[in-house]
Amino acid sequence: MIELAQPINTASLIYVLDFIGVIACAVAGTMLAISKGFDLFGCILVSMVNAIGGGTIRDVMLDRHPLFWTIDLNYVFAITITSILCQMFFRPTARMNGVLKLFDAIGLSAFSVIGLTVALSMGATPLIAVMMAVMTSIAGGIMRDMICQELPMVLQKEIYITAGILGSLTYLGLGRLGVVAWLCELAMLMVVFGVRMLAVRYDWHLPSIRMV
């Protein structure tokens, strides 16, 4: 068993990761909404859906009440302020797709960690916890793309779910070895982000299983 000191408070780390994911997804949602010509409140709506949609569905499925953003309005304030600032200073460019994927990857990795740890804290089995990690990280993006009339990237051959699963398995594996929680979370964060960005950089896609 690996015994390591725990200089970082796990609850604080989770909260920080949650806000990293929220702000990243708010930026990504606002950028896409701007490119579609949405107005001020339309952009804020899309950023809200992208940032807290996955976590909301996760909490409903786990019967976890009250919903996290209804008791901590810092989430709503952070998303709104981020969206407004993004609308003030962001202008669509030819590189927008790459920037969008970067912020998507940040949100994907942070929300995967949040989804897994929240599910485990609720007594979920490892399989359900992995499913909640995936749900938390992709559901908001799917709803965002649907509102913006885009084919969700996660439903194409993009490496999204695979990254979340690999990161979750990393967390569970390290946990079985006795590694402290905060190191498991950081390792999962790096795996998910690393796999996703490598997939973007080298154009990795899931293979087709079509037989004919």
Side-chain angles (χ1 to χ4, degrees):
M1 179 171 295
I2 300 175
E3 294 290 346
L4 294 172
Q6 187 163 340
I8 299 177
N9 181 275
T10 301
S12 298
L13 178 60
I14 290 294
Y15 194 66
V16 170
L17 290 178
D18 210 3
F19 265 89
I20 289 173
V22 162
I23 292 173
C25 285
V27 171
T30 302
M31 288 171 57
L32 183 57
I34 290 173
S35 72
K36 295 294 182 178
F38 285 32
D39 65 10
L40 169 65
F41 293 107
C43 290
I44 293 175
L45 171 64
V46 173
S47 67
M48 289 277 184
V49 169
N50 195 30
I52 60 179
T56 300
I57 294 176
R58 174 204 65 217
D59 284 359
V60 170
M61 294 181 69
L62 291 174
D63 195 26
R64 182 174 180 248
H65 299 290
L67 298 175
F68 66 98
W69 54 269
T70 63
I71 57 175
D72 187 351
L73 291 179
N74 288 326
Y75 288 97
V76 176
F77 295 147
I79 295 167
T80 302
I81 293 171
T82 299
S83 181
I84 291 173
L85 290 175
C86 195
Q87 291 178 66
M88 290 173 61
F89 298 109
F90 171 77
R91 293 293 179 271
T93 66
R95 299 179 58 189
M96 191 192 78
N97 189 51
V99 177
L100 180 62
K101 288 185 175 182
L102 171 63
F103 281 101
D104 252 0
I106 296 171
L108 173 70
S109 53
F111 285 160
S112 293
V113 175
I114 301 300
L116 185 77
T117 54
V118 166
L120 291 174
S121 72
M122 296 289 292
T125 64
L127 176 60
I128 299 300
V130 172
M131 292 174 63
M132 290 301 102
V134 172
M135 177 65 68
T136 305
S137 61
I138 69 172
I142 291 175
M143 291 187 287
R144 173 203 68 197
D145 290 346
M146 291 174 65
I147 293 172
C148 295
Q149 296 184 323
E150 290 278 320
L151 178 62
M153 287 187 288
V154 69
L155 300 182
Q156 303 176 53
K157 293 183 179 180
E158 297 277 354
I159 303 293
Y160 264 90
I161 296 176
T162 304
I165 292 174
L166 290 175
S168 298
L169 294 177
T170 300
Y171 180 101
L172 295 172
L174 291 175
R176 290 292 298 271
L177 293 174
V179 177
V180 293
W182 69 271
L183 277 180
C184 294
E185 291 157 7
L186 288 179
M188 179 179 177
L189 188 78
M190 290 187 291
V191 168
V192 177
F193 182 78
V195 170
R196 176 60 189 147
M197 291 311 297
L198 285 172
V200 171
R201 173 64 179 83
Y202 295 105
D203 198 29
W204 292 347
H205 298 284
L206 292 176
S208 172
I209 61 171
R210 182 178 298 169
M211 301 298 293
V212 294

